[in-house]
Amino acid sequence: MLKNFLLIALCGAVMLTVGILLGHYGIDKSSSVPGWVQDVSRDLDESVVQDFLAEVDNKQIEGFLRELTRVPHMATTAGDEATVQYMLKNWQDPESGLDRAWTEQYLVYLSFPDPKKPNKVTVVAPNMTVLHTAREREKSYGPDQEDPAVVQPYAAYSPAGQPQGKLVYANQGKPSDYMRLNETLDLRGTIAITRYGGAGRAAKAINAAPYGVAGVLVYTDPLDINDGLMSDANETYPHSWYMPPSGVERGSFSTKYGDLLTPYLAAKVGTYRIPVKNITGIPTIPIQPIGFEDAYVLISQLGGEAAPADWQGGFNCTYNFGGPGFKPASEFKDSDVKLEVFNYAELRNSSNVMGIIRGSVEPDRYVIYGNHRDSWVHGAIDPSSGTSVMLEVTRVLGRMLKQGRWRPRRSIIFGSWGAEEFGLIGSAEYTEQYYTKLSERTVAYINVDISVFANATLRALAMPSVQNLIFTAAKQVKAPGLDSMSVYDNWIRYSNRTSPAYGTIPRVRYLSGAGSDYAGFVHYLGITSMDIAYTYDQTKTKARIYPAYHTAYDTFDYASRYIDPGFTSHQAVARTAGNVLLRLADSLLLPLNCSDYAESLEGYLATAVELYQTALTSHSISMEPLKSAVVLFRSAATQLDQFIHGSDLANEIPLKVRRINDQLMLLDRAFLDPQAFPEKYGFRHVIWASSSAGKATFPGLADAFARASSSGLARDWATAHHQLSILSQAIEGAAHTLLDVI
Amino acid sequence: MLKNFLLIALCGAVMLTVGILLGHYGIDKSSSVPGWVQDVSRDLDESVVQDFLAEVDNKQIEGFLRELTRVPHMATTAGDEATVQYMLKNWQDPESGLDRAWTEQYLVYLSFPDPKKPNKVTVVAPNMTVLHTAREREKSYGPDQEDPAVVQPYAAYSPAGQPQGKLVYANQGKPSDYMRLNETLDLRGTIAITRYGGAGRAAKAINAAPYGVAGVLVYTDPLDINDGLMSDANETYPHSWYMPPSGVERGSFSTKYGDLLTPYLAAKVGTYRIPVKNITGIPTIPIQPIGFEDAYVLISQLGGEAAPADWQGGFNCTYNFGGPGFKPASEFKDSDVKLEVFNYAELRNSSNVMGIIRGSVEPDRYVIYGNHRDSWVHGAIDPSSGTSVMLEVTRVLGRMLKQGRWRPRRSIIFGSWGAEEFGLIGSAEYTEQYYTKLSERTVAYINVDISVFANATLRALAMPSVQNLIFTAAKQVKAPGLDSMSVYDNWIRYSNRTSPAYGTIPRVRYLSGAGSDYAGFVHYLGITSMDIAYTYDQTKTKARIYPAYHTAYDTFDYASRYIDPGFTSHQAVARTAGNVLLRLADSLLLPLNCSDYAESLEGYLATAVELYQTALTSHSISMEPLKSAVVLFRSAATQLDQFIHGSDLANEIPLKVRRINDQLMLLDRAFLDPQAFPEKYGFRHVIWASSSAGKATFPGLADAFARASSSGLARDWATAHHQLSILSQAIEGAAHTLLDVI
């Protein structure tokens, strides 16, 4: 009986245990755990990054570049349209394409030379004999230069006109240069020859007009681009990367960005356009670029006194001011220089090509990656080095997507912008048309325009908050040609700084101008942005930029022989930028660092205090509000960082990480003030706006201070105070977005 | 044996079953279901709404009002400071207070009469004898009027000055009124008397100055406020709600809102201030308000021709233009009217009182509820009727909060604004200081300024997207004094319209001006806003506003006897506005309807097409971009609505409802354009900006069209086209935010 009882008890106990185990583990309770609980907290998968890095292929990039550069593809030409179709073909590829790709057109105001009446520059004797005629086309060294689609060198947005007058040399065409010349010469009716550099393209003519100068020439001095070398017999392309004597830098001669007729409006068919006569920021007198071969002929014959030492260039002659005009002993004695500029402007349809990958968890958050597609001629480096890198990034990501190996957490938008060369037009119109949507949802913008200037080192322009993200990405990529070194370690050798927080780190430069398509994103939309490229060793060359820039020599041949043989620097940029893109798209917590922003603001503040405080105080303007705003920003950034570090974001309510991400994403938006710079079109970001003061500090304050110190007017000191208040309020407002949300 | 076996088997089966049940249900598996899964999808609890409605107490409101109106509390006076402390005491109450309450100060530019040199209005005979002196204080009917803190009637921001001249009657002081007068009279050196209504306060003087008018008087005509009644023996207060003969409407005589010295900047101590001489939008000639008792003395003696019929007011005399000056038969014959205005302006510290309840799930989403605290005198109705309602809302919510019965999903911010009467200053400075944070996070702003103008019916001004929310709330509240009828059902009897979507519904009016503290939220920040009050039966009175408005008679006695005896209309407003607040704070899906916005845009478009299309077409301006923008908006709204209806938001990934809520929350932001109205300070919302054209359509287009039709200038037609493009782009941009996010 006892035995039976024990048996029953034992059996019961066993069955109870089996039952409990079965009940607890055997019956699925997961119906009560929603499926999305996993998705919502999924973080970046490092193995996806490794796959991406492994699959980026230099040979593919080379192939893309070859296709993109078959013909010249200046904005809105047949060559440009061919690249539109090529982008679409790649992005719509069923095996390596994106979720969707399409084009968006804008009707934009572009300026061209007249193929039937080429622009001319001549030396005309008093008896009207033409003593010299500048080249109308660059010299040919191969079939690329002979393509009939190569546009004649010209200054886009220069007015047409045929001024004739005595020549003067105006150095770089800065205000101070014309002021200096005007001290000894009557500039009325003269033609001024200037060299590139020191002032914007349009500025060289705009600065001249008030002195009565009738026309302007501009050329690239061999000192500024070729390290002094000049001969195409053995020194310049096709023997090296240097600019041949007939090479001419084309460009947009406008100080504004975006379509000139539709300020702040997307240039659609029915959009209001300002009258052409109301356009500002472009030359009012004709200007024409020429090669240094022709510039030498003119400058070497100039009369008058010798120009100052810092006006002298690379020619083996003294650069004189001009009599005005040529030396009495010259064959050009008493001759004029005549410009015949027949440029015309018209509305043209320009396309952006857009492509997207839809995010799986946060489709309403966008990471945007873009580059322009249009070039001046073949544009192998500018912009096709960047376009081929973008195509490689999309090919690898597209394959991972189509094979079901990956889909980003956030949405990714790719933009192949049109008409950048005429003033960042495609990207600017895009930011105008989709202002609200982009402003509300964009996490960051990555710009890779010229991806490889040269193959020495990475360089990045960026907001401070992405500094560490770029570092993280660069540490995972091998430096081209250096087996055991990362892109990061190589970079730090070429360019570094000492950070109070990190010690020695690579120097990331600020995005303070409007040099490429990031301008609309940074300055108009306040979106955290960066521009990534490989570049040269500045100890080895003084070239302003790679020498074939905007010439007919920026070809596949040039790129593959002198810029990046083997395309491994292109590959390194594709890996770095793609890695940055993946981290922005997939990380649970956005990889944006607000404390690094604080460090930059503190640096700017220290400079401002050093440069301005004494003078401001003497005008009863206190810098205390600015100082306390920066202190508040630092403390808010520290607080947010501590809050993040004290959180277990993957396991807490998913609205918490979203909230923090919103704080990080929107940080740069807080620095926008549409009233801050009434005279600077499209600049609203009070920290990174362009500045003419040339100081590493807050631009509005720097410019206002420079003006006030120079004029001494109470009105200008009031403006400096106003700028200080605008700035303090923006920084304080930004700090408030980082503090505890309520 | 078999029996034993069966017993064992049975026992085993029972134990197994018990085990399975225990294992499945008895052992907590919830460690695998995060606790936040419940919280994140929790929706509004209707029982909380019912508790709130039940606990709102008219007696409490009466008590708050009594306290708030003990003494005059004009901005920055001791009385104002007492209300600051009273707000803090309530909001920091341990049993019914908020999570936190504090004050924020701004140093603002205010204008006052000089107590030592009161402003004077006199009739002066040629021999300098004073024949008549207008009252300097309103007549006393009780202790309230005798309080020494009652400010003398004056026109804030009128310059000081002592003009003297012949009197003319200028009707309402509109541009057309002065133009008409100027046809027959030389206005140089005259004093113009005007009546309130038809034009803004400041405009009555601003419009006069170009004609050389030296000073302006303004009074309230009994026709416009008292339904013609005039005698304080039996007709006006203290016998009724009507204005006594000596009553004077005070007010801010400025056309802008916000602190006048710190445009777009919060008025802090170190903030840049524009020079006082650069202030625009305020009178350049002295202006002074007087009672109709004194106005009658002046107007009844005026000489000259009889003014037109629509210039005639309620006095039992003919309103003549003035000779200029008085009738030859008058005792005032040849006399001048003299104004002595000694107003001065100075910087004063004004406080906002802020209070918050932290949201449990989405603390970074704000519902803001506000009202100003400052009055002109005792301000029982304006603004204390609203303040007492706000205090009752916070008392009931605070109790629920402190008792642990409730915490909102989103954060709630309460604002008791300072210095509203001088130009919405407290709220405007707040929106300037916290621009970015508020713009990014604010779901909606609820304004309850004057909560009860009269006790007949609800009235609401609002963005179209909250129409249904207000209806839902109003349906749950009993109409005061009508047992079986809801506030909604009562409202529809007084004011309704036919909606294409809903049939007959109450008419919600648009927030198109800057009449109260919603201005900064609507026009500067683009935040969905509403203003809620009880008001009168317009069939029973033609009063412009409640007659004691801005006089020394707007007292507790007046409010409790003539505006809302029993305070049940206050209670109904507290219930309705509080219900709206709860729904905005607690609903899982934000109760904002974008299709209702589409209906309003379609209405505006239909009006614009009817009024403008023919003329625009004749100037080669197409309305097609605007039409297609509105069509796109409608289709995007429909798409979003369908997406919402096809979703199971409580059970899907929580980022989905957050994404939709962001689309709804940010919709009004899409209509902001800081470039749209360069001449209108603080107006950026292209749909609801103020307009002088007086048409129920898009304000920028309406104003530009009116100007172009009037001038016929090509430049003005171009501006109309420009406005059309600004508008089309904003509506299209808004539509893009409602479409599928990628």
Side-chain angles (χ1 to χ4, degrees):
Chain A
M1 189 66 200
L2 180 65
K3 186 175 144 198
N4 272 359
F5 178 77
L6 284 174
L7 187 67
I8 290 171
L10 179 68
C11 174
V14 168
M15 295 312 278
L16 180 66
T17 306
V18 169
I20 288 173
L21 291 172
L22 264 178
H24 189 61
Y25 295 106
I27 302 175
D28 188 11
K29 241 181 190 171
S30 67
S31 60
S32 61
V33 185
W36 49 259
V37 169
Q38 291 281 322
D39 301 331
V40 83
S41 61
R42 190 174 297 131
D43 206 345
L44 173 83
D45 182 347
E46 285 287 351
S47 75
V48 165
V49 174
Q50 292 308 323
D51 286 355
F52 169 81
L53 296 177
E55 293 174 34
V56 169
D57 183 348
N58 52 330
K59 287 288 164 200
Q60 290 283 346
I61 295 174
E62 180 175 357
F64 289 133
L65 187 68
R66 196 184 295 273
E67 279 305 312
L68 288 164
T69 56
R70 285 206 184 281
V71 292
H73 48 105
M74 182 168 67
T76 74
T77 62
D80 184 29
E81 181 56 27
T83 61
V84 167
Q85 296 308 320
Y86 186 65
M87 298 305 296
L88 284 175
K89 184 183 128 218
N90 279 281
W91 286 357
Q92 292 172 342
D93 187 294
E95 291 183 359
S96 61
L98 309 174
D99 283 337
R100 202 155 66 83
W102 68 95
T103 62
E104 300 202 357
Q105 289 204 328
Y106 299 98
L107 187 62
V108 302
Y109 184 75
L110 303 185
S111 160
F112 300 101
D114 186 342
K116 295 188 194 116
K117 281 192 287 180
N119 296 344
K120 272 189 202 300
V121 175
T122 50
V123 177
V124 184
N127 66 359
M128 305 300 280
T129 313
V130 173
L131 302 180
H132 177 78
T133 301
R135 275 184 175 275
E136 287 171 22
R137 295 177 66 93
E138 289 149 302
K139 184 173 170 185
S140 174
Y141 301 103
D144 277 338
Q145 286 83 43
E146 279 154 29
D147 192 310
V150 173
V151 71
Q152 186 199 9
Y154 76 112
Y157 301 112
S158 164
Q162 291 79 42
Q164 177 176 335
K166 298 284 181 279
L167 190 68
V168 295
Y169 172 58
N171 191 26
Q172 296 177 313
K174 301 189 295 288
S176 58
D177 293 332
Y178 289 110
M179 198 181 296
R180 172 68 192 82
L181 261 189
N182 190 55
E183 285 171 12
T184 49
L185 293 177
D186 181 353
L187 296 176
R188 285 175 297 174
T190 60
I191 303 294
I193 184 165
T194 60
R195 56 186 173 121
Y196 275 120
R201 293 189 193 101
K204 293 171 195 294
I206 292 171
N207 297 338
Y211 295 99
V213 173
V216 178
L217 294 172
V218 58
Y219 77 101
T220 305
D221 196 279
L223 184 72
D224 299 321
I225 202 92
N226 274 5
D227 295 314
L229 301 181
M230 280 177 259
S231 164
D232 71 347
N234 53 3
E235 293 174 334
T236 70
Y237 182 79
H239 308 287
S240 77
W241 82 326
Y242 288 121
M243 180 194 265
S246 71
V248 184
E249 179 184 321
R250 296 155 184 80
S252 172
F253 283 63
S254 164
T255 59
K256 291 182 178 165
Y257 70 89
D259 177 53
L260 291 173
L261 295 185
T262 58
Y264 300 115
L265 293 171
K268 301 303 232 178
V269 173
T271 302
Y272 170 70
R273 287 174 164 76
I274 65 170
V276 167
K277 66 178 166 47
N278 290 2
I279 295 175
T280 55
I282 60 173
T284 53
I285 55 175
I287 178 166
Q288 173 70 18
I290 58 175
F292 66 74
E293 170 183 276
D294 286 308
Y296 176 73
V297 171
L298 301 178
I299 288 176
S300 62
Q301 302 299 317
L302 268 178
E305 290 174 35
D310 60 344
W311 289 36
Q312 301 298 316
F315 296 142
N316 59 353
C317 66
T318 299
Y319 291 57
N320 296 326
F321 286 137
F326 298 102
K327 294 176 191 170
S330 159
E331 55 175 322
F332 297 160
K333 174 186 179 225
D334 295 335
S335 294
D336 284 346
V337 169
K338 182 175 187 187
L339 269 65
E340 292 169 78
V341 176
F342 300 105
N343 294 350
Y344 68 99
E346 65 179 10
L347 295 181
R348 294 275 192 101
N349 273 307
S350 172
S351 296
N352 290 340
V353 184
M354 306 303 304
I356 54 165
I357 301 177
R358 185 184 167 87
S360 56
V361 177
E362 297 183 273
D364 59 337
R365 288 295 175 264
Y366 308 151
V367 182
I368 308 182
Y369 180 118
N371 178 31
H372 68 103
R373 196 187 54 255
D374 66 303
S375 56
W376 280 115
V377 191
H378 296 82
I381 296 302
D382 181 8
S384 306
S385 66
T387 312
S388 53
V389 161
M390 177 159 70
L391 282 171
E392 180 59 2
V393 169
T394 57
R395 184 191 68 83
V396 176
L397 293 180
R399 255 174 32 120
M400 299 190 340
L401 186 75
K402 299 289 184 188
Q403 292 174 357
R405 294 151 59 200
W406 169 79
R407 176 167 290 283
R409 177 184 181 87
R410 305 183 180 88
S411 295
I412 302 176
I413 299 176
F414 293 97
S416 172
W417 316 120
E420 188 262 9
E421 293 296 2
F422 289 82
L424 323 180
I425 294 178
S427 57
E429 300 310 301
Y430 177 75
T431 58
E432 288 170 350
Q433 180 168 11
Y434 298 104
Y435 182 86
T436 306
K437 191 169 87 163
L438 297 176
S439 158
E440 289 168 3
R441 300 177 188 163
T442 308
V443 163
Y445 175 67
I446 304 166
N447 197 63
V448 180
D449 181 344
I450 295 170
S451 69
V452 182
F453 290 85
N455 56 9
T457 175
L458 195 76
R459 81 103 175 83
L461 320 176
M463 270 39 168
S465 43
V466 290
Q467 168 184 280
N468 261 325
L469 166 63
I470 298 171
F471 291 171
T472 303
K475 285 173 184 171
Q476 291 185 310
V477 177
K478 274 193 270 187
L482 299 164
D483 273 354
S484 60
M485 190 174 273
S486 70
V487 162
Y488 177 90
D489 290 332
N490 180 57
W491 183 11
I492 209 169
R493 298 192 305 157
Y494 285 94
S495 173
N496 60 60
R497 69 177 181 99
T498 304
S499 147
Y502 305 106
T504 304
I505 52 173
R507 178 181 293 278
V508 172
R509 287 153 56 201
Y510 296 141
L511 278 168
S512 51
S516 184
D517 291 300
Y518 51 76
F521 293 92
V522 172
H523 299 297
Y524 188 52
L525 282 166
I527 287 171
T528 307
S529 300
M530 69 206 85
D531 184 276
I532 294 174
Y534 240 67
T535 193
Y536 37 82
D537 180 350
Q538 294 194 316
T539 65
K540 297 214 173 121
T541 175
K542 290 187 194 148
R544 266 177 50 240
I545 192 165
Y546 72 99
Y549 175 69
H550 288 193
T551 72
Y553 309 109
D554 184 355
T555 59
F556 182 83
D557 178 69
Y558 180 84
S560 59
R561 286 168 64 200
Y562 298 116
I563 298 291
D564 188 22
F567 291 90
T568 52
S569 293
H570 284 74
Q571 185 182 35
V573 171
R575 285 173 170 161
T576 308
N579 192 351
V580 165
L581 174 64
L582 275 171
R583 288 173 182 279
L584 285 164
D586 280 356
S587 300
L588 178 64
L589 176 71
L590 283 176
L592 305 175
N593 186 313
C594 55
S595 289
D596 290 344
Y597 223 120
E599 186 176 301
S600 294
L601 296 180
E602 286 161 353
Y604 266 23
L605 176 65
T607 303
V609 167
E610 188 191 327
L611 295 176
Y612 308 140
Q613 185 166 252
T614 307
L616 288 173
T617 306
S618 77
H619 288 87
S620 304
I621 302 168
S622 166
M623 291 187 81
E624 291 310 314
L626 178 61
K627 290 181 195 175
S628 62
V630 172
V631 167
L632 182 68
F633 188 96
R634 165 62 78 177
S635 111
T638 303
Q639 186 185 312
L640 181 58
D641 274 350
Q642 285 170 351
F643 184 66
I644 292 169
H645 294 133
S647 298
D648 177 13
L649 296 175
N651 294 305
E652 294 184 68
I653 187 168
L655 293 179
K656 184 173 179 184
V657 68
R658 169 81 170 205
R659 181 203 331 161
I660 295 167
N661 284 341
D662 280 359
Q663 291 179 283
L664 296 169
M665 170 178 87
L666 295 172
L667 175 55
D668 268 300
R669 246 64 106 230
F671 293 113
L672 292 187
D673 183 339
Q675 256 87 31
F677 309 111
E679 288 164 18
K680 285 184 194 168
Y681 180 81
F683 285 94
R684 297 179 168 190
H685 198 300
V686 302
I687 311 297
W688 310 123
S690 69
S691 162
S692 45
K695 307 289 180 192
T697 188
F698 308 108
L701 178 61
D703 284 356
F705 185 91
R707 178 181 294 193
S709 325
S710 151
S711 78
L713 294 175
R715 190 183 60 210
D716 290 336
W717 285 108
T719 302
H721 190 182
H722 191 193
Q723 284 293 333
L724 200 62
S725 290
I726 287 172
L727 182 62
S728 308
Q729 177 160 302
I731 296 173
E732 202 183 293
H736 283 299
T737 71
L738 298 179
L739 288 168
D740 192 13
V741 294
I742 189 80
Chain B
M1 189 68 198
L2 180 64
K3 187 175 145 199
N4 274 356
F5 179 77
L6 283 175
L7 188 65
I8 291 170
L10 179 67
C11 175
V14 168
M15 292 314 275
L16 181 66
T17 306
V18 168
I20 289 174
L21 291 172
L22 265 178
H24 189 61
Y25 295 106
I27 299 176
D28 189 11
K29 240 183 191 169
S30 67
S31 61
S32 60
V33 185
W36 49 257
V37 170
Q38 292 279 322
D39 302 331
V40 82
S41 61
R42 190 173 299 130
D43 205 346
L44 173 83
D45 181 346
E46 284 287 351
S47 76
V48 165
V49 174
Q50 291 307 323
D51 286 354
F52 171 82
L53 296 178
E55 293 174 34
V56 169
D57 183 347
N58 51 329
K59 287 289 164 197
Q60 290 284 346
I61 295 173
E62 180 176 356
F64 290 132
L65 188 67
R66 197 184 296 271
E67 279 306 313
L68 288 165
T69 56
R70 286 206 183 279
V71 293
H73 48 107
M74 184 167 65
T76 74
T77 62
D80 185 29
E81 182 55 27
T83 61
V84 167
Q85 297 307 322
Y86 186 64
M87 298 305 296
L88 284 175
K89 185 184 125 214
N90 279 280
W91 287 356
Q92 292 172 341
D93 187 295
E95 291 184 358
S96 60
L98 309 175
D99 284 337
R100 200 156 66 85
W102 67 95
T103 62
E104 301 202 357
Q105 288 205 327
Y106 299 98
L107 187 61
V108 302
Y109 184 76
L110 304 185
S111 160
F112 300 101
D114 186 341
K116 295 186 197 122
K117 282 191 288 180
N119 296 344
K120 273 189 201 299
V121 175
T122 49
V123 177
V124 184
N127 65 1
M128 304 299 279
T129 313
V130 173
L131 303 180
H132 177 79
T133 300
R135 274 182 176 277
E136 287 171 22
R137 295 177 66 94
E138 291 150 301
K139 184 173 170 184
S140 172
Y141 301 103
D144 278 337
Q145 285 83 44
E146 279 154 32
D147 193 311
V150 173
V151 72
Q152 186 199 10
Y154 75 112
Y157 302 111
S158 164
Q162 291 79 41
Q164 176 176 335
K166 296 285 179 281
L167 190 68
V168 295
Y169 171 59
N171 191 27
Q172 297 177 313
K174 301 188 296 288
S176 58
D177 294 332
Y178 288 110
M179 197 181 298
R180 171 68 191 79
L181 261 189
N182 190 54
E183 285 170 13
T184 48
L185 293 177
D186 181 353
L187 296 175
R188 286 175 297 175
T190 60
I191 302 294
I193 184 166
T194 60
R195 56 186 172 121
Y196 275 120
R201 293 189 194 100
K204 292 173 197 292
I206 292 170
N207 297 338
Y211 295 99
V213 173
V216 178
L217 294 171
V218 58
Y219 78 102
T220 305
D221 196 280
L223 184 71
D224 298 319
I225 202 91
N226 274 2
D227 294 314
L229 301 182
M230 278 176 261
S231 165
D232 71 347
N234 52 4
E235 292 175 332
T236 69
Y237 181 80
H239 307 287
S240 77
W241 83 326
Y242 288 120
M243 178 193 268
S246 70
V248 184
E249 178 185 322
R250 295 155 184 79
S252 172
F253 284 63
S254 164
T255 59
K256 292 180 178 167
Y257 69 91
D259 177 52
L260 291 173
L261 295 185
T262 57
Y264 300 114
L265 293 171
K268 300 304 230 179
V269 173
T271 303
Y272 170 70
R273 287 175 164 76
I274 64 170
V276 167
K277 66 176 166 46
N278 290 2
I279 295 175
T280 56
I282 59 173
T284 53
I285 55 175
I287 179 167
Q288 173 70 18
I290 57 174
F292 66 75
E293 171 184 275
D294 286 307
Y296 175 73
V297 172
L298 301 179
I299 288 176
S300 62
Q301 301 299 316
L302 269 178
E305 290 173 37
D310 60 344
W311 289 36
Q312 301 298 316
F315 296 141
N316 60 352
C317 66
T318 300
Y319 291 56
N320 296 327
F321 286 137
F326 299 102
K327 294 175 191 170
S330 160
E331 56 175 322
F332 297 160
K333 175 186 178 219
D334 293 335
S335 294
D336 284 346
V337 169
K338 182 174 186 187
L339 269 65
E340 291 168 80
V341 175
F342 300 105
N343 294 350
Y344 68 99
E346 65 179 9
L347 295 181
R348 293 275 192 102
N349 273 307
S350 172
S351 295
N352 291 337
V353 184
M354 306 302 304
I356 54 164
I357 302 177
R358 185 183 167 89
S360 56
V361 177
E362 297 182 272
D364 59 337
R365 288 295 176 262
Y366 308 150
V367 182
I368 307 182
Y369 180 118
N371 178 31
H372 67 104
R373 196 187 56 256
D374 66 303
S375 56
W376 280 115
V377 192
H378 296 81
I381 296 303
D382 182 8
S384 306
S385 65
T387 312
S388 54
V389 160
M390 178 158 70
L391 281 171
E392 179 59 2
V393 169
T394 58
R395 185 192 66 85
V396 176
L397 295 180
R399 255 172 34 118
M400 299 191 336
L401 186 75
K402 299 289 183 186
Q403 293 174 354
R405 293 149 60 198
W406 168 80
R407 176 168 290 282
R409 177 184 181 88
R410 304 183 180 88
S411 295
I412 302 176
I413 298 176
F414 293 96
S416 172
W417 316 121
E420 188 261 11
E421 293 296 1
F422 289 82
L424 323 179
I425 294 180
S427 57
E429 300 310 300
Y430 177 75
T431 58
E432 288 170 351
Q433 180 169 10
Y434 299 103
Y435 183 87
T436 306
K437 190 168 88 162
L438 297 177
S439 158
E440 289 168 4
R441 300 177 188 164
T442 309
V443 163
Y445 175 67
I446 303 167
N447 196 64
V448 181
D449 182 345
I450 295 169
S451 70
V452 182
F453 290 85
N455 57 9
T457 174
L458 196 76
R459 81 105 174 81
L461 318 178
M463 264 52 160
S465 42
V466 290
Q467 168 185 280
N468 262 325
L469 166 63
I470 298 171
F471 291 171
T472 303
K475 284 174 185 170
Q476 290 185 310
V477 178
K478 271 193 272 188
L482 298 165
D483 274 354
S484 60
M485 190 174 272
S486 70
V487 162
Y488 177 90
D489 289 333
N490 180 56
W491 183 10
I492 209 169
R493 297 191 306 158
Y494 284 94
S495 173
N496 61 61
R497 69 177 182 98
T498 304
S499 147
Y502 304 106
T504 304
I505 53 173
R507 177 180 294 277
V508 172
R509 286 153 57 201
Y510 297 142
L511 278 168
S512 50
S516 184
D517 292 300
Y518 51 76
F521 294 91
V522 172
H523 299 298
Y524 188 53
L525 282 167
I527 286 171
T528 307
S529 300
M530 69 206 84
D531 183 275
I532 294 175
Y534 240 68
T535 193
Y536 35 82
D537 179 350
Q538 293 193 316
T539 65
K540 298 216 172 118
T541 176
K542 288 187 195 147
R544 267 176 50 238
I545 192 163
Y546 72 98
Y549 175 70
H550 288 192
T551 72
Y553 307 109
D554 185 356
T555 58
F556 182 82
D557 178 69
Y558 180 84
S560 59
R561 286 168 63 200
Y562 298 116
I563 298 292
D564 189 23
F567 291 89
T568 52
S569 294
H570 284 74
Q571 185 182 36
V573 171
R575 286 173 168 161
T576 307
N579 192 351
V580 164
L581 174 64
L582 275 171
R583 289 174 181 280
L584 285 163
D586 280 356
S587 299
L588 178 63
L589 175 71
L590 283 177
L592 304 175
N593 186 311
C594 54
S595 289
D596 290 344
Y597 223 120
E599 186 176 299
S600 294
L601 296 180
E602 287 161 351
Y604 266 22
L605 177 64
T607 303
V609 168
E610 188 191 327
L611 294 176
Y612 308 140
Q613 184 165 255
T614 307
L616 288 173
T617 306
S618 76
H619 288 86
S620 306
I621 302 169
S622 167
M623 293 188 79
E624 291 310 315
L626 179 61
K627 289 182 195 171
S628 61
V630 173
V631 167
L632 182 68
F633 187 97
R634 165 62 79 177
S635 109
T638 303
Q639 185 186 315
L640 181 57
D641 274 350
Q642 285 170 352
F643 183 66
I644 292 169
H645 293 133
S647 299
D648 177 13
L649 296 174
N651 294 306
E652 296 182 66
I653 185 167
L655 294 179
K656 183 171 178 184
V657 69
R658 169 82 170 205
R659 179 202 334 161
I660 295 168
N661 284 341
D662 280 359
Q663 291 179 283
L664 295 169
M665 171 180 84
L666 295 172
L667 175 55
D668 268 299
R669 247 62 108 233
F671 293 113
L672 292 187
D673 182 339
Q675 256 86 30
F677 308 112
E679 289 164 18
K680 284 184 196 169
Y681 179 81
F683 285 94
R684 298 178 166 189
H685 197 302
V686 301
I687 311 298
W688 310 123
S690 70
S691 161
S692 47
K695 307 290 181 190
T697 187
F698 308 107
L701 178 62
D703 284 356
F705 185 91
R707 179 182 293 196
S709 324
S710 152
S711 78
L713 294 174
R715 189 183 62 210
D716 291 336
W717 285 108
T719 302
H721 190 182
H722 191 193
Q723 284 292 333
L724 201 62
S725 290
I726 286 171
L727 183 62
S728 307
Q729 177 160 304
I731 296 174
E732 204 183 291
H736 283 301
T737 70
L738 298 179
L739 289 168
D740 192 12
V741 293
I742 189 79

